[in-house]
């Protein structure tokens, strides 16, 4: 590739590529925690839980399955907790799908001395009005995955312990909030207000 008559070298796999890999890995932990939760609810072995969990191919259907089972086993005692977990995971899944399916995008900048700087990102294959995902956007996503994995793990432990009394934290919405959210770019008016 050339730019202004000078060859431009496309970067080799970089920290950006590693961040994308870490994001996919972090989300797979969330899916594993869903399978462990399913195992605890159904009182079955992990292989059966994985077979059932991953036979359900999309996030919405998997959340509906888990929600219905929790409602069946615990009536509506976990409703606020369940609903907040599901909302968190739906937002997380949208970001994960963007990381997994958007296309690599390379922006090349140069200064007056013809020195080049590269910014790698992920862009939707069909423009959709959302901001590109840059390397700095991925760490909050990984943190979100870690947070919801811990919430699911705690719920799994509670269900597996077969305690009679329901701790208060499982009767309330989760306290963590998504930090990684697909966003619209700022409008020109908003940019003027920031100056």
């Amino acid at each position: 590739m050339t730019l202004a008559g000078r060859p431009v070298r496309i970067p080799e796999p970089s920290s950006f590529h590693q961040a994308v890999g870490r994001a996919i890995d972090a989300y797979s932990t969330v899916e594993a925690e869903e399978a462990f939760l399913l195992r605890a609810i159904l009182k079955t072995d992990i292989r059966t839980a994985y077979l059932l969990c991953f036979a359900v191919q999309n996030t919405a259907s998997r959340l509906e399955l888990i929600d219905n089972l929790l409602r069946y086993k615990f009536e509506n005692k976990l409703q606020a907790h369940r609903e907040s977990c599901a909302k968190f995971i739906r937002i997380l899944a949208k970001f994960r799908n963007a990381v997994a399916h958007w296309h690599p995008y390379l922006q090349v900048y140069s200064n007056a001395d013809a020195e080049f700087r590269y910014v790698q990102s992920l862009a939707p294959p069909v423009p959709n009005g959302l901001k590109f995902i840059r390397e700095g956007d991925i760490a909050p996503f990984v943190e979100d995955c870690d947070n919801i994995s811990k919430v699911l793990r705690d719920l799994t432990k509670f269900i597996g312990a077969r305690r009679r009394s329901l701790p208060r934290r499982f009767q309330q919405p989760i306290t963590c909030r998504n930090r990684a959210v697909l966003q619209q770019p700022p409008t020109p008016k908003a940019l003027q207000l920031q100056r």
Side-chain angles (χ1 to χ4, degrees):
M1 176 176 158
T2 62
L3 184 66
R6 296 185 64 174
V8 176
R9 187 168 174 262
I10 303 222
E12 295 295 323
S14 63
S15 61
F16 180 72
H17 294 96
Q18 291 174 348
V20 168
R22 178 67 185 111
I24 298 300
D25 180 60
Y27 191 80
S28 69
T29 301
V30 175
E31 292 178 321
E33 291 299 339
E34 289 174 325
F36 292 137
L37 178 58
L38 194 59
R39 176 189 68 181
I41 296 167
L42 296 175
K43 301 176 187 174
T44 189
D45 62 278
I46 193 60
R47 181 168 282 166
T48 301
Y50 264 89
L51 288 169
L52 291 170
C53 194
F54 295 107
V56 180
Q57 290 293 309
N58 67 59
T59 301
S61 297
R62 193 175 300 143
L63 289 171
E64 183 180 356
L65 170 67
I66 292 170
D67 182 60
N68 287 333
L69 287 169
L70 286 171
R71 190 178 313 114
Y72 172 70
K73 296 284 186 172
F74 294 95
E75 299 166 354
N76 282 331
K77 295 174 186 169
L78 295 170
Q79 183 175 354
H81 192 76
R82 283 189 343 254
E83 288 174 357
S84 62
C85 282
K87 179 180 177 186
F88 191 100
I89 292 171
R90 278 192 292 275
I91 293 169
L92 198 68
K94 285 180 185 177
F95 198 95
R96 176 266 176 210
N97 288 341
V99 169
H101 300 294
W102 284 9
H103 293 191
Y105 188 78
L106 183 66
Q107 293 169 297
V108 181
Y109 300 95
S110 67
N111 61 19
D113 297 326
E115 296 171 334
F116 295 103
R117 182 174 63 94
Y118 307 99
V119 176
Q120 294 176 290
S121 59
L122 296 171
V126 176
N128 61 8
L130 295 174
K131 286 175 60 176
F132 293 6
I133 297 173
R134 293 190 174 178
E135 186 172 347
D137 300 323
I138 294 177
F141 173 78
V142 170
E143 186 178 322
D144 286 349
C145 290
D146 292 344
N147 288 338
I148 198 65
S149 291
K150 182 181 180 331
V151 168
L152 294 173
R153 195 174 310 116
D154 289 347
L155 182 58
T156 299
K157 287 178 186 175
F158 165 73
I159 292 170
R162 315 264 189 265
R163 288 183 249 150
R164 291 191 183 266
S165 62
L166 184 64
R168 185 179 174 112
R169 67 183 165 149
F170 297 126
Q171 298 174 44
Q172 300 173 341
I174 61 174
T175 57
C176 54
R177 298 291 170 255
N178 295 85
R179 292 187 53 227
V181 178
L182 297 177
Q183 299 177 11
Q184 300 286 331
T187 62
K189 187 175 184 179
L191 290 173
Q192 287 176 351
L193 293 175
Q194 289 179 355
R195 290 182 183 166

